[in-house]
Amino acid sequence: MTSLEQEPRTSARGEPLVVLAGVQKHYGQLHALKDIDLSVARGEVVVVIGPSGSGKSTLCRTINRLETIDEGSITLDGTALPAEGKALANLRAEVGMVFQSFNLFAHKTILENVTLGPIKVRGLAKAEAEKKARELLDRVGVGHQAEKYPAQLSGGQQQRVAIARALAMEPKVMLFDEPTSALDPEMIKEVLDVMVDLAKQGMTMIVVTHEMGFARTAADRVVFMADGAIVEENTPEEFFTRPTSDRAKDFLGKIL
Ligand code: ADP
Ligand code: MG
């Protein structure tokens, strides 16, 4: 992708793209999301951190409606999340998601993994989808692996394919839920580098990660969650040097 193509997105930076207001989510008795208000601006990179079980994955999953919410609202680019059907499928295509486990289709080639969504959901012709897929695979550094199957690639390569697959849908926002947690240490950087590039190019990103180096360098804002609530949010500089809540101080004391 050239910087020119990215220009409209960058120049519109600042306008809210993803807005959660008063979001409540229960799993039976468990109050998993407590009155979440979060507005992510176009081009903004928000890193979500917090202890295990604090609701970070649930938050991500509500944004592309893999989970329903009990109360409140979520809007994407001014449109409320539709409940079901074609409208929901279209909306999901606007929200790219990358999980801890790469979730590639094992019996499809790398190229097919990336072209499937654009052909089925976006209605692209095969040749066009393949051209675009090869560009994206080149961009994440796995262009030469296009004809292989997922199991023939390393974890880091598979995760970069997963990122390319999400990007192929031309999402408005990319959600990453601990994208490097399942990777061997030497592969973490190659995935983070792709994410940093994406951030630099102006992609709107919500990233759940324990990689504090990434949070410090790439995040515009850090959101700290505990027990289903947003406890604190700030610039990485402020958050890491002057956390205000006891929960955040305790958490940072354990991980830094
Ligand atoms: P995190 O990603 O921060 O570790 P999660 O969002 O996965 O936290 O989980 C938040 C809480 O909700 C945890 O207590 C978890 O056990 C619970 N939870 C998550 N998914 C489900 C589910 N599908 N059914 C019941 N409880 C769930
Ligand atoms: Mg999680």
Side-chain angles (χ1 to χ4, degrees), residues 52-53 55-58 100 177-178 208:
S52 178
K56 306 180 300 296
S57 293
T58 304
Q100 181 174 334
D177 190 0
E178 300 199 25
V208 177

Side-chain angles (χ1 to χ4, degrees), residues 10 19-20 32 67 69-73 93 104 108 149 156-157 162-163 211-212 216 220 229 237 240 245 256:
T10 318
V19 181
L20 289 83
E67 293 285 357
I69 59 175
D70 303 330
E71 273 179 60
S73 68
L104 297 177
K108 297 199 181 293
Y149 286 85
Q157 290 171 331
I163 294 172
E211 294 295 329
M212 296 303 136
R216 280 177 187 274
D220 294 303
E237 164 74 11
F240 288 114
S245 64
L256 292 180

Side-chain angles (χ1 to χ4, degrees), residues 98-106 110 113-114 137 140 142 145 149-165 179 183 187 190-191:
V98 176
F99 302 91
Q100 181 174 334
S101 52
F102 329 121
N103 295 325
L104 297 177
F105 299 110
I110 297 307
N113 265 278
V114 180
L137 290 170
V140 301
V142 289
Q145 314 276 21
Y149 286 85
Q152 296 172 280
L153 271 59
S154 72
Q157 290 171 331
Q158 289 188 54
Q159 193 60 306
R160 286 182 282 145
V161 172
I163 294 172
R165 181 175 61 173
L183 297 177
M187 291 169 191
E190 66 192 41
V191 172

